[in-house]
Amino acid sequence: MSQIRKPANRFKAKKTRLVKSFLIKHKFIPQGRIILPGDKSIAHRALILSALSCGRTILKNFPIHEDSLATLNALSVLGVKIRRNKGIVLVSGKGRQGLKSPGKPVFVNNSGTTLRLLLGVLAGVSFKTKIVAGKYLSLRPMSRVNIPLRLMGAQIVAQNRGREEYAPITINGGNLKGIVYRPKVASAQVKSAILLAGLFAKGRTKVIEQLNTRDHTERMLKVFGVNIIVNNRSITLYPTQGLNSPGQVYIPGDISSAAFFIVLAAIIPKSRVVIEKVSLNPGRSGIINVLKRMHAVIKVSTSQANKPVGLEPWGNLLISSSKLKGAVVYPGEIPSLVDELPILMVAACFAEGVTKIKGVNELRVKETDRVNSMVVNLKKMGADIRVEKDGLMESIIIHGQGGLCGAKLESFGDHRTAMSMIVAALAAAGKSEIDDIGCINKSFPGFLKALKSLE
Ligand code: S3P
């Protein structure tokens, strides 16, 4: 992180450890440059594929937070040797054979990506593993992964409530066969679980998506030498005798973390923020496209794109304060900005005119019901926001009024809700207080420090 200066008393935490509630007293004008920790989605995949390959892989700009540690710890419990030192993680993989029955349940905390991708990996090994999740993840639906993995031959027992399945999950894998599968939900986690299982299945595995979702797994599999053919929304993977480590993988900055700073700089007058080396994967950069349509002043420079190992495009962003206008977000765009919808709702409140975000249903099954958490919080700040139902499709409608007012807000224990509301509060008129912001540690423990560096 560049430009870290002593924090001025513009906004301060009520408790010194910044884990309980957050009190925002004054506005500030964000200015400066930041480099963000590596992308969370890429980090999970880099760890998993390094563990499955033979040899050492160095992961650079690796982000340390609760979710990445969930994958790291789960793989360690399964017998993979992993060491970490600051932003570098070293994985010593021994191939699929290197994974050993842990003899105790594997705890994945609240990381949905860890749980769903790990199920894909464990479907391919012939021992039984019980996976236990934290309190938020235990409420999230798991049939979407269990169903295709069972079709491939894995034996899976999960908690049943109504017609849905939840963690804890016990999986007994091995002897899989490839399938052709069309997931019912647009989910990169589901696609990735099937592809990971397909690595060690008999015959080819094909996933046909209804909407394009993030393709980090496909890109990373190619880097590790797997025969995978991507034809728009159809992905064909051929089983492998073994993955080849590229030696090192550079993980560009997390665009989902960047989104909070992009919106902050766009909605606060006189701001100017540069975000360096951020991931610009087209499956993730929907937030930039939509904000540009909303007249945000964002300059993207990709001259360095593709230089780092990892085949992931990245670049620098320069964001200046902007006069935002409302826009329509279409269902086909949702997967490319699904995690950024909470902060996009904040941006829409600062815009002039109507923003309609169509097809937000998946937001209901994230760490919390983010439709509810954002509507409740933004209404408290005076927003004109409502949910509209058209058949099965839910949309959010916001009549932007060019600003918000301070209020007493809640994180609902959800990291992205917490960070979105901190951004909203920093740009709003008057004081705000946000309860329970310790959840930020799930994806971005350095968030407040990064904010302060822009003061
Ligand atoms: C992720 C995929 C998305 C996203 C999540 C990370 C991934 O979930 O919301 O934060 O790394 O594959 P879905 O696959 O459920 O859409």
Side-chain angles (χ1 to χ4, degrees), residues 41 45 113 116 144 186-189 214 338-339 366 416:
S41 289
R45 282 133 174 110
T113 311
R116 292 183 177 135
R144 51 182 65 195
S187 162
Q189 293 176 350
R214 64 192 70 189
V338 65
D339 293 335
K366 293 294 173 190
R416 300 207 199 280

Side-chain angles (χ1 to χ4, degrees), residues 288-453:
I288 297 175
N289 303 336
V290 171
L291 285 171
K292 278 186 167 178
R293 280 209 309 268
M294 292 174 77
H295 294 209
V297 184
I298 305 174
K299 270 198 194 145
V300 182
S301 72
T302 53
S303 56
Q304 309 231 39
N306 287 333
K307 257 198 183 161
V309 182
L311 282 183
E312 286 279 351
W314 57 276
N316 296 344
L317 301 176
L318 163 62
I319 310 103
S320 314
S321 53
S322 320
K323 285 218 169 322
L324 297 183
K325 305 257 181 273
V328 179
V329 181
Y330 298 96
E333 293 179 290
I334 297 291
S336 70
L337 79 174
V338 65
D339 293 335
E340 291 66 71
L341 289 172
I343 191 64
L344 181 64
M345 292 182 211
V346 172
C349 293
F350 282 82
E352 300 276 347
V354 181
T355 294
K356 184 164 184 176
I357 311 173
K358 293 177 158 187
V360 295
N361 304 48
E362 272 295 297
L363 269 198
R364 297 255 187 217
V365 290
K366 293 294 173 190
E367 279 78 338
T368 56
D369 175 346
R370 288 184 181 152
V371 172
N372 177 59
S373 66
M374 292 307 294
V375 170
V376 167
N377 276 319
L378 290 172
K379 273 194 172 160
K380 284 187 185 168
M381 299 185 91
D384 180 347
I385 176 168
R386 67 187 166 84
V387 184
E388 194 180 81
K389 239 182 152 183
D390 179 8
L392 289 179
M393 188 176 81
E394 287 194 282
S395 301
I396 297 264
I397 322 278
I398 297 170
H399 285 256
Q401 293 153 345
L404 290 170
C405 298
K408 206 163 182 318
L409 307 162
E410 303 157 74
S411 72
F412 290 80
D414 182 323
H415 58 139
R416 300 207 199 280
T417 302
M419 290 185 274
S420 298
M421 297 325 299
I422 289 175
V423 169
L426 282 168
K431 254 202 240 175
S432 293
E433 188 168 341
I434 304 167
D435 263 358
D436 188 17
I437 62 160
C439 52
I440 289 175
N441 291 339
K442 187 175 195 302
S443 67
F444 197 177
F447 176 66
L448 296 179
K449 203 169 164 191
L451 264 182
K452 284 179 177 163
S453 78

